[in-house]
Amino acid sequence: MKRPNQKLKLLYLMKILMQETDEAHPLSLAQLVEKLEGYGVEAERKSLYDDMEVLRVFGIDIEKTGSRNCVYYVGSRTFEVAELKLLVDAVQASKFITRKKSSDLIKKMESLASVYEAGTLQRQVYVSNRVKTMNESIYYNVDKLHTAIYDDKKISFRYTDWAVDFTAGARVKRQVRKNGRRYAVSPWALTWNNENYYLVGFDAAAGRIKHYRVDKMESIHISEEKRSGEEYFKNFDMALYSSRFFGMYGGMEERVDLKVENRLAGVMIDRFGESLSLRQEGEEHFLASVTVAVSPQFFSWLFGLGEGVELLGPIEIRRQYRHYLERVLKKYQ
């Protein structure tokens, strides 16, 4: 008499081994037979030897321990538990992934471990000043942007900001920029900077590279028109681009000269990279010439370093910085 569900036996056996075994939780042949019966599959102990050999040939790392009373478990997997914990921590700490989507992703990652190991993945990562995004659509925006980049197509979208509606009891709401007019951009790259996801693309109308926060984009449409701006991205260095924009805040790029105390060399290298050119200036200082996007964010970064850094020039940028400091100081007079 033909046993039921025999064609499913190998699949259920693999599922049981992958989900319910690890080095600390092996299963005997008798236990495997019992668990298969729970799926409506009858199995003889002898046939499981052949089945597990087939799974080994397929690539499943099935280990056996013991001599007389042998037990079996899955040894190594695609991801080690330590690797999954790193991924979980990254998802938990990511500002641009909503709480709901974080929970969904972590549950999917748990399926890559045994049920016992999955319990260790329920971790709460606390990150200073982290606020999860409220825009659930970012997950799908990223996928759509990758598709446009891969297909070499332009995109259009509406760009939004958070605003407070005092007529509705100080309710936070989204409002579109440019009265709802759509932005047209050639997408070239995505980058993760300062806990936010950004699209870096070419604005043909402006004739230059621009970036946009992905969680502020909505109603993304992929055009049939081929991207433009390839010449701007042939030798594009994303790390260099990101280092010039403080908090990815826009501004005109300028070459500025800084006089820096020696103790802040690490701060400068962390910000601008190891290729930063430094020149000695006396015994306690060095000079650095760097390209930055001049913006209030840049001035705030400078101010945060206090007397350790002096902006030497250009004179016009130095004047702008002084006026920035004066305007802030007036608030406290």
Side-chain angles (χ1 to χ4, degrees):
M1 180 178 174
K2 189 173 181 180
R3 296 175 184 272
N5 298 325
Q6 288 303 293
K7 290 185 177 180
L8 295 174
K9 183 176 69 166
L10 199 61
L11 296 176
Y12 280 127
L13 178 62
M14 181 171 68
K15 180 179 180 179
I16 292 166
L17 288 166
M18 294 294 291
Q19 291 186 349
E20 301 186 40
T21 72
D22 53 44
E23 188 173 3
H25 303 88
L27 291 174
S28 66
L29 287 176
Q31 289 172 315
L32 289 170
V33 169
E34 183 181 349
K35 288 184 177 294
L36 283 170
E37 288 176 352
Y39 288 104
V41 177
E42 294 184 19
E44 294 181 352
R45 294 176 59 172
K46 290 183 179 180
S47 68
L48 293 184
Y49 293 118
D50 293 334
D51 292 335
M52 282 191 280
E53 184 57 34
V54 170
L55 291 177
R56 287 192 185 97
V57 172
F58 180 69
I60 307 298
D61 180 26
I62 300 175
E63 300 286 349
K64 179 177 75 171
T65 61
S67 53
R68 296 185 59 184
N69 299 315
C70 296
V71 290
Y72 302 85
Y73 66 92
V74 174
S76 61
R77 302 167 190 267
T78 303
F79 290 95
E80 295 179 8
V81 175
E83 294 170 331
L84 289 174
K85 286 179 179 178
L86 285 175
L87 294 174
V88 167
D89 289 354
V91 169
Q92 287 273 36
S94 298
K95 178 182 175 182
F96 66 86
I97 304 177
T98 64
R99 293 187 184 279
K100 180 179 181 301
K101 186 55 65 177
S102 294
S103 178
D104 292 343
L105 288 172
I106 291 169
K107 280 185 172 61
K108 291 177 181 179
M109 283 189 277
E110 287 175 2
S111 69
L112 300 174
S114 73
V115 291
Y116 309 102
E117 294 169 333
T120 68
L121 299 180
Q122 289 292 341
R123 298 144 64 83
Q124 179 63 51
V125 181
Y126 295 95
V127 180
S128 177
N129 298 323
R130 182 199 63 188
V131 178
K132 284 284 192 179
T133 182
M134 291 181 277
N135 186 359
E136 180 72 21
S137 65
I138 184 174
Y139 189 74
Y140 306 99
N141 285 354
V142 169
D143 183 58
K144 188 170 285 189
L145 293 172
H146 275 300
T147 298
I149 292 170
Y150 180 80
D151 291 340
D152 196 26
K153 301 295 184 182
K154 290 183 178 180
I155 63 167
S156 67
F157 56 91
R158 287 199 294 265
Y159 205 50
T160 67
D161 282 315
W162 288 109
V164 180
D165 184 359
F166 291 104
T167 63
R171 182 173 61 89
V172 177
K173 68 174 187 177
R174 282 187 174 275
Q175 65 178 22
V176 293
R177 292 188 184 180
K178 296 185 177 180
N179 295 319
R181 295 201 308 274
R182 298 182 70 81
Y183 288 61
V185 174
S186 294
W188 285 93
L190 285 160
T191 185
W192 187 1
N193 185 285
N194 196 30
E195 297 190 37
N196 288 306
Y197 233 141
Y198 291 87
L199 168 72
V200 180
F202 181 71
D203 184 335
R208 65 188 181 93
I209 295 173
K210 291 185 178 181
H211 57 263
Y212 308 86
R213 259 179 59 172
V214 176
D215 62 308
K216 291 186 175 184
M217 300 168 69
E218 67 177 28
S219 303
I220 299 173
H221 172 72
I222 300 177
S223 167
E224 290 300 316
E225 190 176 353
K226 183 180 173 65
R227 290 183 302 175
S228 59
E230 182 178 0
E231 63 277 15
Y232 289 83
F233 285 88
K234 282 184 177 178
N235 299 307
F236 182 73
D237 187 329
M238 179 61 76
L240 181 62
Y241 179 83
S242 297
S243 72
R244 294 175 178 178
F245 290 86
F246 290 74
M248 297 300 279
Y249 197 98
M252 294 300 296
E253 291 189 38
E254 297 279 356
R255 193 77 174 171
V256 299
D257 298 315
L258 305 174
K259 181 179 178 181
V260 187
E261 291 182 4
N262 292 338
R263 64 184 176 85
L264 295 175
V267 174
M268 299 298 291
I269 291 171
D270 286 343
R271 178 73 243 187
F272 300 105
E274 295 181 12
S275 60
L276 176 66
S277 178
L278 308 177
R279 304 185 305 280
Q280 186 175 357
E281 177 73 3
E283 294 184 0
E284 299 180 355
H285 296 83
F286 62 85
L287 301 178
S289 182
V290 296
T291 301
V292 300
V294 178
S295 67
Q297 298 297 100
F298 167 60
F299 291 152
S300 296
W301 177 79
L302 269 183
F303 182 73
L305 297 177
E307 296 178 335
V309 178
E310 180 183 356
L311 174 60
L312 299 178
I315 295 299
E316 173 59 22
I317 307 303
R318 183 181 170 96
R319 183 185 66 80
Q320 291 178 25
Y321 182 42
R322 186 179 71 248
H323 287 176
Y324 169 81
L325 296 174
E326 288 172 349
R327 288 195 301 271
V328 174
L329 184 59
K330 281 183 180 179
K331 297 285 186 181
Y332 299 92
Q333 289 180 345

